[in-house]
Amino acid sequence: MADKKASDRHAALAAEIAEHDKRYFQDDNPTISDADYDALRRELEDLESDFPELADGSITSGIGAAPSGAFATVEHPVPMLSLNKALTEEEVADFITRVRRFLRLAADAPLTFTAEPKIDGLSISLRYENRKLAVAATRGDGATGENVTANVAYVAAIPQTLGEDAPDLFEVRGEVYMTHADFEALNTRLVEEDKRPVANPRNAAAGSLRQVDAAKTGDRPLQFFAYGWGEVSVLPADTQEGMIAALKRFGLPVNPLTRHCESLEELIAAYQAIAAERAGLAYDIDGMVYKVDRLDLQARLGERERRPRWAIAHKFPAERAITELEAIEIQVGRTGALTPVARLVPITVGGVVVRNATLHNADEIARLDVRPGDTVEIQRAGDVIPQVVSVLKDKRPEGTEPYVFPDKCPVCGSQVVAEMNPRTGRPDVVRRCTGGLVCEAQQVERLKHFVSRAAFDIEGLGAKQIAAFHAAGLIKTPADIFTLAQRDAARPQGERLVNREGYGETSVQNLFNSIESRRTISLRRVIYALGIRRVGEISSRVLALHFKTWDAFREAMRLLAIAADERSTRNEGVAAGTPLDDLPSWSKDAEEGQGVRAELAAIDGLGDVVADALEAFFGEHHNVQVIDDLSAEITVEDEVARAVDSPISGKSIVFTGSLEQMTRDEAKARAESLGARVVGSISKKTDIVVAGPGAGSKLAKAQSLGLEIWDEETWMERAKHA
Ligand code: IVH
């Protein structure tokens, strides 16, 4: 019989696992690593095997979490299963033994497997009826998922129709995932828009697919690999390998790294080969899945507790290491966000030397109760910034105190606040320095942003040089960049830039030339370069297109700030109950400013949040001063009306495959200058698809949607009419 200790532990584990399941499956926001999660599950499973009466099946057989309610639900006619896991070679050997025993196969009777990479994304079921995609659903709890058919229409990798010889009814199962490159681009964009970056590609894929506004899925490039099936009218093959070949033939993307294996040794060799290739893959995998190849054997083996007996996931160990945390430092970002960073005694994790790890925010530090001097476990997953996953409390030196998050900016001493998050209405987890440009850290970060790629993009003046010039007192504000040459010339010979380490006559001249070449700049770049919170590249373009000229933009912002200012004096300075007639009247400027605000809030893609951010930014006198000074130095080009008579003006266009006569970036820029909108993925709303050699599923999708498709020749021909 289970004693009280065992049953209490079982209950506690079950509750903890259920909570993590909810965070992982429902909120797309796991708070522990896969390895920690697996450890909890193993402990629970071990307890249940020691004390079978504890196993009520609630956790060990439950898969995922029920749908969140934001989507319509879909019942899976054939349940979507989970997999048993193996961490060691012995556990894989045990799996093979179990399979042989179950099938009563002699130890030397042939038994073949497939070894497939285990894609770290989210599983999905795609129901094709008469070769047309009818329903797409997430796994949910395995029995009921969420209907994401509308979202999937924006995923170019998932065909809307299958090839002619596909069965009449075919439920395809596979994994939706995001590549590392797309994940990074998404996070760069989120950060630029002052939104919180996503923790990993899996969460990014899940969050992107489950956008309530389906069109938003189209802004997030998702990929897909098919590896299984649910309900089918006729099975097109009798082995797993044959099925994968059939899926491919019907037009579905399948993973090219799948191997055919005939023994434990071959499975392990496949595992090791893929593990060695793993770092170079474009997407995350967290192990291998071994499946009995013959479908008749799969059917005989069946399932137990919603896991097939004919398959197992052989997981890769997480890349982790233990080291000492020397200090917690606070970095201050461009918009004042305070990010705690753990300084570590350097250690190699998965072949990379790690010196720093992120601690995310004050809440995370409190949750871990991490203190300087602690021994910590860190984890590095793919290209993600290493993170502290746990603290080895028994190794804690005596006399340490819980870390107190600073309430003053460590750089400028200004007050630190947790702002209200306009989306949630709750205080944000991020603490911010309120110093604005008074804060040297924010100054430097804003300057770095000012010269970044999508902003002024000044060759020879990157983040490193900005930091050095700032420290030397040579560049404190954006305008200083443009007076650098003049000020340098006025200095005595011995103090000029040419004497700085790393510089010489030529490099200094090159730097001055490249600064000079950016003195004339487009409106959208200037707006973006200002580094206003929530005004990323996209909003900057929208604002530029709306206001057209720099003067119009600045005047509107001046009026906006006046309106905001008067609004707050009315709210604060007037006693409650004052009769309306006694309220101070709006100034004419403020009235116009109210109009600007309404105008901004109504622009598609901006709204109140951006309007608030602009108000806050232009309400700060020092920001306006910086802009006035900059204005005196640069020439801002008007946002020119698009060439309306070009053949692609106003059209949405997708480039796929490789182009031979120009780079993608070039083609994109050209299309935009001709008034087209370049988008990443194909949907019914796409007007033109330019397909170069190697265009795969996007081309297939364009064909199936009956879109206009151009080859590179046609594109070059039409693009000439610039
Ligand atoms: S087979 C009945 N094959 O892993 C078999 N799953 O832990 C069910 N996954 O829910 C899945 N790559 O989301 C299978 N090649 C692969 C996979 C794979 C990734 C995921 C899938 C599944 C989870 C199970």
Side-chain angles (χ1 to χ4, degrees), residues 631-660:
S631 238
E633 296 297 331
I634 60 173
T635 306
V636 183
E637 294 170 322
D638 293 351
E639 191 71 29
V640 279
R642 296 293 173 193
V644 264
D645 54 352
S646 96
I648 59 169
S649 146
K651 302 258 167 89
S652 89
I653 184 162
V654 171
F655 289 94
T656 175
S658 55
L659 295 178
E660 275 151 11

Side-chain angles (χ1 to χ4, degrees), residues 695-707:
S697 55
K698 283 195 187 175
L699 177 58
K701 177 146 184 178
Q703 283 161 341
S704 74
L705 290 173
L707 303 177

Side-chain angles (χ1 to χ4, degrees), residues 404-678:
V404 181
F405 205 85
D407 57 3
K408 297 267 186 305
C409 171
V411 178
C412 72
S414 298
Q415 197 66 30
V416 164
V417 295
E419 289 175 3
M420 257 329 155
N421 182 325
R423 274 181 286 268
T424 61
R426 286 197 297 269
D428 213 284
V429 285
V430 176
R431 308 286 164 84
R432 279 176 204 279
C433 157
T434 52
L437 279 180
V438 169
C439 179
E440 297 260 324
Q442 292 191 51
Q443 260 178 32
V444 179
E445 294 307 316
R446 283 207 212 174
L447 283 167
K448 287 181 189 167
H449 173 80
F450 186 86
V451 298
S452 66
R453 273 285 291 282
F456 272 70
D457 192 18
I458 299 174
E459 209 182 317
L461 193 62
K464 217 172 88 194
Q465 292 82 2
I466 282 289
F469 285 143
H470 184 270
L474 291 170
I475 296 177
K476 290 284 184 191
T477 75
D480 293 344
I481 294 172
F482 295 97
T483 58
L484 187 66
Q486 199 190 330
R487 285 182 287 126
D488 195 57
R491 243 179 268 169
Q493 187 65 44
E495 291 173 26
R496 293 193 190 160
L497 275 185
V498 280
N499 303 308
R500 278 183 78 86
E501 201 179 312
Y503 283 94
E505 291 288 346
T506 323
S507 53
V508 168
Q509 200 47 54
N510 286 346
L511 174 65
F512 291 162
N513 290 346
S514 65
I515 292 175
E516 220 34 54
S517 74
R518 306 303 276 159
R519 211 180 265 280
T520 300
I521 188 112
S522 70
L523 179 57
R524 60 178 70 180
R525 279 186 184 263
V526 183
I527 296 178
Y528 174 72
L530 300 179
I532 305 163
R533 267 179 81 186
R534 306 189 199 286
V535 181
E537 270 184 86
I538 297 171
S539 307
S540 302
R541 192 171 65 197
V542 173
L543 286 165
L545 286 167
H546 183 79
F547 289 105
K548 307 246 172 6
T549 71
W550 180 223
D551 287 345
F553 174 72
R554 285 168 67 208
E555 176 61 6
M557 295 303 113
R558 186 181 72 84
L559 297 170
L560 183 72
I562 292 175
D565 192 40
E566 288 193 18
R567 199 168 57 235
S568 70
T569 9
R570 278 164 85 88
N571 290 346
E572 285 163 18
V574 180
T578 309
L580 268 182
D581 285 350
D582 295 353
L583 281 176
S585 60
W586 291 103
S587 71
K588 190 163 164 299
D589 280 354
E591 251 171 51
E592 286 184 31
Q594 300 268 67
V596 172
R597 169 139 196 141
E599 215 179 296
L600 287 172
I603 298 176
D604 192 24
L606 296 185
D608 279 323
V609 175
V610 173
D612 283 347
L614 288 167
E615 249 177 37
F617 188 89
F618 287 92
E620 294 278 352
H621 178 71
H622 53 238
N623 287 337
V624 176
Q625 187 61 51
V626 162
I627 294 172
D628 287 348
D629 293 347
L630 172 67
S631 238
E633 296 297 331
I634 60 173
T635 306
V636 183
E637 294 170 322
D638 293 351
E639 191 71 29
V640 279
R642 296 293 173 193
V644 264
D645 54 352
S646 96
I648 59 169
S649 146
K651 302 258 167 89
S652 89
I653 184 162
V654 171
F655 289 94
T656 175
S658 55
L659 295 178
E660 275 151 11
Q661 303 184 50
M662 53 171 77
T663 64
R664 276 271 186 107
D665 282 346
E666 218 178 323
K668 190 172 162 208
R670 177 75 66 88
E672 283 183 359
S673 78
L674 290 170
R677 217 156 33 86
V678 179

Side-chain angles (χ1 to χ4, degrees), residues 142-156:
T144 311
E146 293 169 326
N147 189 329
V148 289
T149 316
N151 305 73
V152 160
Y154 290 92
V155 180

Side-chain angles (χ1 to χ4, degrees), residues 81-83 116-119 123 139 175 227 289 291 308 310:
L81 303 181
S82 187
L83 291 169
E116 310 171 8
K118 185 170 186 299
I119 315 300
S123 47
R139 179 169 69 171
E175 204 85 351
Y227 51 66
V289 184
K291 298 176 185 170
W310 45 265

Side-chain angles (χ1 to χ4, degrees), residues 65-137:
S68 71
F71 294 84
T73 55
V74 174
E75 302 265 324
H76 298 300
V78 176
M80 290 183 77
L81 303 181
S82 187
L83 291 169
N84 284 314
K85 293 184 189 115
L87 281 172
T88 62
E89 205 174 312
E90 289 71 54
E91 287 171 326
V92 178
D94 289 347
F95 159 70
I96 298 178
T97 309
R98 278 198 304 274
V99 168
R100 286 189 180 277
R101 199 185 310 132
F102 192 94
L103 296 171
R104 295 187 201 289
L105 285 180
D108 56 353
L111 180 62
T112 60
F113 298 89
T114 60
E116 310 171 8
K118 185 170 186 299
I119 315 300
D120 200 7
L122 73 153
S123 47
I124 190 168
S125 183
L126 306 166
R127 187 179 173 89
Y128 290 88
E129 290 171 2
N130 295 318
R131 288 153 291 279
K132 286 215 160 24
L133 181 63
V135 185

